[in-house]
Amino acid sequence: MGRGSGHTDGTANPNDFTGIPAGPTAEQQGGRGHKRKQTLLSLLDALAELSKDEELDGLIPNQQPSFEDDRDVPTVDEHLQKVGAEAFNKFQRRVMNLDKELRNFANAARQLGSSVGILSSSYHLRGRLAQILYLFRENAADLFPRKISRQSRESISSTNISHFRKGRRHRAPPHVHNPIVMEKLEPEDFPEQLQMFAQDVTTFLDCLNEFPEFTDEAVNSAILALEGDLKYWASCLKAYEGQFKYPAVQRYLHDLSSEMGEHIDSITSSLSVFIEIGVPTIRFAQKHASQNLLNLSTVATFFSAVTATTMQFSFDMTDSTLANAVNSFWFTSLVFSIGAAVNSLLGVTWKQAMYRSPGHRVPWWVLIWIKRSPLAFLVLSVACFSMGLVLFAYSSNQHQVTCTLTTVFSACSIVGLTAVSAWFASERWAFSRHNGTKWLADVLSETKVKVKSTRGVRWLIYEPRALVWTCSRWTRNHFRRLSDVVSELSARTISRLSSDSDEKLADTERGVTPVSPLPACASPEPLSPVFRRGASDSGPLLPIAEMRTNTAVSVGGEEDGTASVMSDNIGPLPEAGRGRFANAVRAVIKMRAASTAFPVGGRNARRQRTMSSDGNGRDLEPVGVLKTSRVGTLMPKLKSLQPTQSFEAHVALVRHLQFSPNGKFLATSSWDRTSVIFKVGVSKVVRGVVSVPIGIQETFTSHRILAHPQGFVGQVAWSPSGHLLLTKLGRGVKIWTEDGVCKRTIDRRKNVQSITWLPGGEAFLSVEGSDVAKLDLNGTVLATYHFDRMVLHDVAVTQDGVRMVCVGTLTASADGFHPSKCRAEKQIIVYNMVKQEIENRVPVLHEVRDITLARNDQVALVSYENKAPPQLWKLDPVKDSVRLSLRHTYMPKVTVDFAGPSYFGGRSDQLVLCAGKAGDIHIWDRESGTLLHHIRAQTVGGDLTCIAWNHAWDTFMFATGSHDGGVRIWTTPSHITASIESSAAPSRATITPTNTPRTISPAPFDPDYRTDSPTGQSGLDSSSILPASTPPIMNALGNPAMTPPPAVPPS
C-alpha cells in the first residue's frame, strides 16, 4: 500500500477520516526491524479503515454500487462541481472576514479596562471558527474532489506549535495565542461543534454587554439569531448520527454553509461598526472616569498639604478644651484627605486594569469603596477643616469681626456642601428607585403636589392667599369707582365752561356728510363686488369677483333676458358633453376588446407556437456528445413537439391536471370550483380536395364538468384502473366515475394537503398535516400514520404497497428548538407501512413540494418550490430496508422559477419534464441527466402552472395548464413521426410546423353532460347528471358561448 512511509515524513492522508492511530510518530532510526514494524502497523491501519467503511455502507460485498457513488456524470456533474466549489469558497471568505474582524476587535479592546473577558471569548470564538471551517472543507472535499483540496492536520498545527515555541521564553496570556485546530476532528462531530459554536458566540455576546458604556443592538440581534439557528441545526443533525459520510447528508451540510454565511456576514458588518464607534466610546467613558478620579486625587493631596500646614499652629495647644477640639477636627480632616487621595489613585488603577472584573461581578462594598469613598472622604475632610478653623479663630483670641466672618462663611460653605451632597445622593436614589424613568425634579414635584393636597397644609397655603386676593380685589374696585366719579365731575365742569362758538365748531368737526343711495341698475346682471383701497379705484389688488363671472342664461330664448337663470359657467357646456360621449365610446371599445381577448367555447386562442432555440435563431444542441441510439432517437421527436391544441378549460388558473392510466381521459382542476374531464380521441387528417389522408391526429372533447360548490379543487387523481377519479378539496375528498357521477363525498374536517391511490385501487391515502390517513372508497379510516414534528406535503406509494415515500417540513427539532432566521429543515422519508416505522430519512434545505415514484419503484422524482431544480433520488435496498441516495439534479440552462410538480415521461419513464412559470418547458434524460430539449417562452406562452404526460399514448403527448384557465396539448404529429422513423441516419434538420393541421378546439362549456356535486351524498346519485338540454353557459359579456364551425386545414 505504500502507506507506512507516508507517516514518517509528516504528510497526512487526505482521505483519512477515521481517526485510527497510524503507527508511531517518532523519528526514523534506520533499521530493518523498525521498517517491518512500521509496515505491519500501516497494514493493520488499512484493514481497520476498510472494515469501518464496510460497516458504514451496510451493503453486502456482492451488491451493485449505489447510484450515489456515480459522480462522474458528463457536463451536469461538472457544473455542480463548479457551483459547489464557488459556494464553499464564498463561505471560506466569509469566515476569514469574521476572523479578521475578531482579530481587529481584540487589538482595539486591549486598551480598554476589564477587557480580559472579551479577549478570551474572541480567542475561543476564532478557534471554533477554524474548526468549523475545517469540517466544512472536509465535507466539500468529499462532495467536490476535483475542485476542493483537503487541508492536512499537520500543516494546520505545525505553525501554531512553532509560534508557541517561539514565545515560550516570554509566556503570554492565553488570549494572545493563535487558534489551534483539533488534531482528531471527525464528520460525526458536526452537531457537537455547532452546539459549542453557539455557546462561544453567546459567551462573546455576554462579555461584549459587560461594557455598560456602549450597547449595540445590531450586534446583539445578529449574534442572537446565529445562536438560535446553531442550536436548531445541532439538534436536527443529531438524528443523522452515523450518516455524516452519506452524500445526501453531506449535501445538506454544504447547503447549511450558505445559511451560516449570511449570519457571519451580518455579524462581521455589525462588529466592524462596533469597532469604529463602540470601542472609542467605551474608551472615552473609561478615560473620563479615570480623569475625574485623578482630579479628585490631586485636590485631596493639595488639601492634605494645607491641613498639615495649618496644624503647625495648633498642634502644641493642649491647655484648653477649645484647643483640643481644634486639633481633633484638623487631625480628622488630614486623615480623610489622605484617604481620599489614596482611594482615588486606587480607583484609577482598578479602572485601567485589563484583568479587573466587570462591575456587576464585584461586591457592592468594593464598588462603594472604590467609586464613592474618595469624594465622600474629601467632603468630610473639608467639613472638619472648616469647623476646626472656626474653633481655632475663637481659641486663638482673634478679633470679634474675624471670628464672626469666619463663622458665617464657614457655615455657608458647609451648608452648601451638605446641600449639594444631599442632591447628588438623592439623584442616585431616584435613579435606582425609578430605573431612570424619572428625574429628581419630577420626584420633588410629585412630592410637592402630594404635600399640598393634604387637608391642613392646603388650608394653610390657600386660605391666606384667598384672603389677600379678596382684599386686593375690594381695593381695586373702590379705587376704580372713585376715579370714575372724579372723571365725571371734571368732564361736567369743562362742558359748562365751554363757549357757544366752540360748541358749533365741535359740531362742524363731528358732522357726517350724507351719502346718496345708489341708483337701481338697469342691467339684469348683478354687479360684482369690488374691494377698493381708500377713495381711489386703482390699487395693486384685483377684485376677487373677477375670478368667477356670473352670466344670465335665458330660458325662453328672449334677448331682453326677462326670464333668465343665473349660473356659474366654469367651462363651455358642449365640450363637457363631447367628452362624456368620447368616454362612452372608449368604454364600448374596451369591452369589445376584452370579449375578443378571452374567447369562450370553441374558439382557438391565436397563440404563437414556441420552438426550441438558443436566442439567435439556431436550434439548441444537446448538452454533451450523445452517441447512444436511444438518446439520438429521442432528440428529433422532442424537437418536433408542438402545441396542436389549446382551449379554455376554466375561467381561473388550472391547479392540476392528469391523464388517466389508459390515456383516454384528461382531468383538470381549477380554482373556479370545477373539474373538467376531457375525452381523448383519434381522427384522420386529410389534405386537399382529393381527400388524401396524411396522418392521425388526437382530438380532445369535453366529456364532463364536475362542479364543487364547497370550494377550490386543488388536485385530481385517477385510480390505477382508470374508472374512478379523486378530486381534492380544502377539507374533503370526492370520488367520481369516469362518466362524471359523484359516488361519495368524504368530509375529513382537516386540511387535506394531497391524495394518492394505493396500487390496488381499493383505498387511497390522504395527507393531513402530520398524519397520513388510509381511507377506503366509503370514507372509512383503515389506518393512520403519524409523523412527529412534521408537516407533510405529499406521499407516494410503492407498487407492492409496503412503503411510502413522504416529503415534509420539520416544525421543530428533537429538543424543541425553532429556526430564528434560517429556513426550516425539510426531509424525504421512507416509511414502512407494515412495520409502521421510518426506515430512512434525508434532510434537504429547499422548499419541497411534490414526490413521484417511477413505475419500477427504483427512483423517485422530487420537486421543489421557486427556483430549486428537481432531483432524482434512488431507492437502494439495504438488507430489509431502503436507503435514499441522490442520483441526479436536473439543472436548467438558465435560472427558472418552476411551476407545479415535475413529471416522468416517455416509455419506461425515460424522460423528466418540468414547466416554468414564465412558459419554459425543460425535458431531461432521466438516466444521464442531460437536457434534451428546452422550449423557450415566446410572446403568449407564459404563465404555466402545471404539466402532465400521457403514458398510455404511443406518440409523445403532454398537457400544460396556465393561469388564464387555458390548457395546451403538445404532441408530435404522426406524419412527422413517420418521417423521423423512416429516416436511416439521425438528422439535425429542423422541422418547420407551419403546415401542421390544427384540430378544432373543444368547447368545455358545451359538454354532453354537466355534473354537479351533491351535498352530503352517500351513494350513487343519477340525478346529478344534467340533461343535454341544459341552457348554455353564458360568457363574460352575457352572451351564450357558441362553438364555431371546424376550421379547414391548409392545403
Side-chain angles (χ1 to χ4, degrees):
M1 296 215 181
R3 188 172 175 177
S5 61
H7 290 278
T8 59
D9 57 356
T11 59
N13 185 8
N15 296 322
D16 185 13
F17 279 91
T18 60
I20 302 175
T25 58
E27 297 182 358
Q28 190 174 11
Q29 299 179 357
R32 182 176 299 177
H34 180 73
K35 291 182 178 179
R36 185 181 295 111
K37 181 180 179 181
Q38 190 79 3
T39 304
L40 290 176
L41 289 175
S42 300
L43 289 174
L44 291 175
D45 183 17
L47 290 175
E49 184 174 317
L50 290 175
S51 63
K52 188 171 183 180
D53 290 340
E54 184 177 356
E55 293 175 0
L56 180 67
D57 294 337
L59 301 174
I60 59 178
N62 297 329
Q63 190 173 352
Q64 295 296 329
S66 170
F67 280 84
E68 193 86 14
D69 299 328
D70 186 11
R71 301 173 186 270
D72 296 329
V73 179
T75 67
V76 177
D77 187 69
E78 183 66 24
H79 175 71
L80 293 178
Q81 292 268 333
K82 182 178 179 181
V83 173
E86 291 177 355
F88 171 75
N89 293 330
K90 184 178 181 180
F91 174 73
Q92 184 178 12
R93 289 193 299 269
R94 288 172 167 176
V95 173
M96 291 302 175
N97 291 335
L98 180 58
D99 182 79
K100 180 181 177 182
E101 291 299 330
L102 288 173
R103 188 169 60 252
N104 296 337
F105 179 77
N107 295 331
R110 293 182 189 277
Q111 307 174 12
L112 305 179
S114 184
S115 60
V116 63
I118 196 67
L119 292 177
S120 178
S121 62
S122 63
Y123 162 72
H124 287 96
L125 184 57
R126 290 178 59 200
R128 192 67 59 194
L129 281 174
Q131 296 173 9
I132 294 294
L133 181 60
Y134 177 80
L135 285 176
F136 276 105
R137 172 178 282 277
E138 295 299 314
N139 184 75
D142 280 345
L143 290 175
F144 319 110
R146 297 197 296 269
K147 301 295 182 180
I148 304 297
S149 60
R150 300 181 185 274
Q151 189 174 4
S152 62
R153 300 184 181 92
E154 287 78 3
S155 63
I156 296 175
S157 59
S158 60
T159 306
N160 300 320
I161 294 175
S162 62
H163 181 273
F164 179 74
R165 290 178 178 175
K166 181 179 179 180
R168 177 179 295 179
R169 182 175 301 177
H170 303 286
R171 187 178 297 274
H175 59 268
V176 301
H177 293 167
N178 290 332
I180 301 176
V181 178
M182 296 173 56
E183 294 184 1
K184 295 182 180 180
L185 210 57
E186 300 294 334
E188 298 293 333
D189 297 331
F190 256 109
E192 182 182 0
Q193 289 295 324
L194 292 179
Q195 185 70 28
M196 297 175 68
F197 189 20
Q199 295 177 2
D200 289 339
V201 296
T202 305
T203 304
F204 178 78
L205 179 62
D206 294 339
C207 295
L208 198 63
N209 290 331
E210 287 176 351
F211 293 99
E213 295 85 0
F214 184 81
T215 302
D216 192 354
E217 294 297 335
V219 178
N220 292 349
S221 60
I223 293 180
L224 289 177
L226 176 60
E227 176 199 2
D229 287 342
L230 286 174
K231 291 181 178 180
Y232 174 76
W233 292 331
S235 180
C236 292
L237 290 177
K238 291 178 182 178
Y240 308 103
E241 183 178 359
Q243 305 179 23
F244 286 94
K245 287 188 177 180
Y246 290 172
V249 181
Q250 288 179 337
R251 288 185 180 90
Y252 176 70
L253 291 172
H254 178 72
D255 292 338
L256 286 184
S257 63
S258 61
E259 299 279 334
M260 191 182 301
E262 295 179 1
H263 286 287
I264 291 176
D265 275 348
S266 177
I267 295 177
T268 303
S269 59
S270 301
L271 199 60
S272 177
V273 175
F274 190 90
I275 294 174
E276 295 178 0
I277 300 176
V279 173
T281 303
I282 297 173
R283 187 187 303 116
F284 173 78
Q286 293 183 352
K287 185 178 180 181
H288 180 69
S290 301
Q291 188 66 34
N292 290 339
L293 289 177
L294 286 175
N295 296 336
L296 193 61
S297 175
T298 303
V299 174
T301 303
F302 175 76
F303 196 75
S304 62
V306 173
T307 304
T309 303
T310 54
M311 286 177 58
Q312 301 296 327
F313 300 98
S314 63
F315 73 96
D316 56 350
M317 298 172 57
T318 58
D319 53 352
S320 62
T321 304
L322 197 59
N324 293 330
V326 170
N327 290 330
S328 299
F329 279 111
W330 280 358
F331 273 103
T332 304
S333 176
L334 182 61
V335 171
F336 280 133
S337 61
I338 293 175
V342 174
N343 289 343
S344 299
L345 293 177
L346 182 63
V348 171
T349 305
W350 182 77
K351 280 186 171 296
Q352 294 180 352
M354 178 186 296
Y355 297 94
R356 72 173 175 89
S357 302
H360 64 280
R361 298 181 182 270
V362 179
W364 62 271
W365 57 271
V366 176
L367 289 178
I368 291 177
W369 185 264
I370 294 177
K371 293 184 178 181
R372 309 302 177 196
S373 63
L375 182 59
F377 284 1
L378 185 59
V379 171
L380 292 176
S381 176
V382 172
C384 292
F385 181 81
S386 300
M387 295 176 65
L389 187 61
V390 172
L391 296 179
F392 181 75
Y394 286 101
S395 64
S396 60
N397 298 322
Q398 298 295 325
H399 193 270
Q400 188 67 28
V401 177
T402 302
C403 295
T404 303
L405 293 177
T406 303
T407 303
V408 171
F409 291 144
S410 298
C412 292
S413 62
I414 291 175
V415 170
L417 190 61
T418 304
V420 173
S421 301
W423 180 268
F424 287 167
S426 301
E427 285 182 335
R428 179 65 181 176
W429 172 84
F431 175 80
S432 59
R433 177 68 180 276
H434 301 282
N435 296 324
T437 58
K438 294 182 181 180
W439 298 103
L440 180 58
D442 300 332
V443 176
L444 294 178
S445 299
E446 293 177 358
T447 305
K448 182 179 179 181
V449 171
K450 291 180 180 179
V451 170
K452 287 184 177 181
S453 62
T454 307
R455 180 175 299 177
V457 177
R458 182 174 54 186
W459 186 88
L460 292 176
I461 294 176
Y462 291 104
E463 288 299 331
R465 184 182 300 176
L467 181 61
V468 172
W469 183 78
T470 303
C471 295
S472 62
R473 185 177 58 179
W474 183 84
T475 304
R476 286 196 302 271
N477 291 337
H478 284 72
F479 182 75
R480 185 181 300 107
R481 291 177 183 177
L482 181 61
S483 62
D484 292 341
V485 171
V486 172
S487 299
E488 186 178 357
L489 292 176
S490 60
R492 291 179 180 179
T493 303
I494 293 173
S495 62
R496 289 179 181 178
L497 295 178
S498 58
S499 58
D500 296 338
S501 59
D502 294 337
E503 291 179 359
K504 292 180 180 180
L505 182 59
D507 293 339
T508 306
E509 292 177 356
R510 291 193 301 266
V512 180
T513 305
V515 181
S516 61
L518 293 175
C521 183
S523 174
E525 299 181 358
L527 293 178
S528 301
V530 179
F531 295 89
R532 304 178 182 275
R533 299 185 59 187
S536 176
D537 294 341
S538 62
L541 296 178
L542 294 175
I544 297 179
E546 291 181 4
M547 301 297 297
R548 184 163 142 189
T549 305
N550 297 328
T551 59
V553 181
S554 177
V555 177
E558 294 86 351
E559 295 180 357
D560 54 358
T562 55
S564 61
V565 179
M566 303 300 300
S567 63
D568 299 336
N569 291 336
I570 305 300
L573 184 59
E575 292 294 329
R578 186 180 298 110
R580 288 194 296 271
F581 180 77
N583 292 334
V585 172
R586 292 192 192 98
V588 173
I589 294 175
K590 289 181 179 180
M591 291 177 61
R592 297 190 61 183
S595 63
T596 56
F598 300 97
V600 183
R603 298 182 182 180
N604 288 330
R606 302 180 61 86
R607 300 183 179 178
Q608 184 176 352
R609 178 167 51 90
T610 60
M611 295 299 295
S612 173
S613 63
D614 59 355
N616 298 323
R618 298 186 301 270
D619 293 338
L620 284 174
E621 293 292 334
V623 181
V625 181
L626 306 179
K627 298 182 179 180
T628 61
S629 59
R630 177 179 61 85
V631 178
T633 306
L634 290 175
M635 288 294 296
K637 293 182 180 180
L638 293 177
K639 283 197 171 187
S640 63
L641 282 171
Q642 57 182 340
T644 55
Q645 296 186 70
S646 60
F647 45 87
E648 300 295 332
H650 300 276
V651 296
L653 66 87
V654 181
R655 187 66 182 86
H656 187 246
L657 46 82
Q658 186 182 30
F659 284 95
S660 60
N662 54 16
K664 295 181 180 180
F665 297 98
L666 171 65
T668 64
S669 64
S670 173
W671 283 2
D672 62 355
R673 302 188 179 187
T674 61
S675 179
V676 183
I677 300 177
F678 293 93
K679 190 172 184 179
V680 184
V682 178
S683 64
K684 294 184 179 180
V685 180
V686 298
R687 179 182 61 186
V689 184
V690 296
S691 299
V692 178
I694 63 174
I696 304 300
Q697 182 66 44
E698 298 81 3
T699 60
F700 284 76
T701 57
S702 179
H703 183 56
R704 294 291 187 272
I705 296 180
L706 314 179
H708 298 74
Q710 289 82 3
F712 298 151
V713 187
Q715 182 186 358
V716 291
W718 287 100
S719 64
S721 62
H723 299 301
L724 296 178
L725 177 68
L726 295 180
T727 57
K728 181 189 76 68
L729 303 176
R731 301 172 70 89
V733 181
K734 288 182 177 293
I735 304 176
W736 307 79
T737 64
E738 61 183 5
D739 293 329
V741 178
C742 182
K743 297 187 61 177
R744 179 77 58 180
T745 298
I746 303 175
D747 187 9
R748 293 300 301 154
R749 301 182 182 275
K750 294 180 181 179
N751 290 329
V752 180
Q753 300 294 332
S754 65
I755 51 177
T756 184
W757 283 93
L758 292 180
E762 73 283 357
F764 63 93
L765 299 179
S766 174
V767 180
E768 303 166 355
S770 300
D771 299 326
V772 177
K774 182 179 179 181
L775 307 172
D776 61 4
L777 299 182
N778 294 323
T780 306
V781 179
L782 303 178
T784 301
Y785 310 100
H786 180 71
F787 296 82
D788 293 331
R789 308 182 312 278
M790 289 286 295
V791 175
L792 299 179
H793 303 303
D794 193 19
V795 296
V797 185
T798 57
Q799 294 296 325
D800 56 4
V802 176
R803 295 177 179 87
M804 64 177 176
V805 187
C806 317
V807 292
T809 303
L810 194 66
T811 57
S813 65
D815 299 328
F817 292 106
H818 298 271
S820 60
K821 189 178 178 181
C822 68
R823 291 176 289 179
E825 178 182 318
K826 291 81 181 176
Q827 292 182 355
I828 306 174
I829 300 175
V830 179
Y831 186 84
N832 193 316
M833 294 189 293
V834 178
K835 300 179 181 180
Q836 293 191 359
E837 63 180 10
I838 296 176
E839 293 184 350
N840 184 241
R841 67 175 74 203
V842 174
V844 292
L845 196 61
H846 299 291
E847 298 292 335
V848 67
R849 169 195 291 153
D850 180 84
I851 186 167
T852 304
L853 282 174
R855 283 175 283 186
N856 56 6
D857 286 342
Q858 294 183 0
V859 291
L861 184 62
V862 179
S863 306
Y864 299 94
E865 293 279 355
N866 302 326
K867 297 178 174 59
Q871 291 180 336
L872 187 71
W873 292 81
K874 182 72 170 61
L875 279 70
D876 294 323
V878 180
K879 296 181 181 180
D880 295 334
S881 62
V882 172
R883 193 187 75 180
L884 288 169
S885 59
L886 182 63
R887 182 64 178 88
H888 287 301
T889 299
Y890 299 103
M891 301 297 297
K893 280 295 183 181
V894 294
T895 303
V896 178
D897 197 358
F898 294 99
S902 305
Y903 232 89
F904 285 116
R907 296 179 180 178
S908 302
D909 297 333
Q910 59 185 342
L911 302 176
V912 172
L913 291 84
C914 195
K917 293 182 180 179
D920 299 83
I921 300 176
H922 294 77
I923 303 178
W924 293 275
D925 179 54
R926 194 193 76 181
E927 292 300 328
S928 64
T930 304
L931 181 61
L932 300 178
H933 191 42
H934 176 204
I935 302 176
R936 296 181 179 272
Q938 298 294 332
T939 55
V940 200
D943 297 337
L944 295 184
T945 57
C946 52
I947 191 170
W949 185 275
N950 192 347
H951 293 277
W953 219 251
D954 294 334
T955 59
F956 286 174
M957 177 192 297
F958 66 90
T960 58
S962 59
H963 274 275
D964 57 1
V967 175
R968 178 174 290 186
I969 307 300
W970 298 73
T971 57
T972 300
S974 57
H975 66 282
I976 298 180
T977 305
S979 63
I980 293 175
E981 293 178 352
S982 62
S983 178
S987 174
R988 293 175 56 241
T990 303
I991 305 300
T992 305
T994 53
N995 296 328
T996 302
R998 299 293 296 271
T999 61
I1000 303 173
S1001 299
F1005 296 108
D1006 294 332
D1008 298 336
Y1009 299 97
R1010 174 182 174 89
T1011 303
D1012 293 331
S1013 173
T1015 304
Q1017 189 177 8
S1018 59
L1020 181 63
D1021 188 3
S1022 60
S1023 62
S1024 60
I1025 305 177
L1026 298 181
S1029 60
T1030 303
I1033 306 298
M1034 307 301 287
N1035 59 13
L1037 298 178
N1039 300 322
M1042 303 300 295
T1043 304
V1048 179
S1051 57

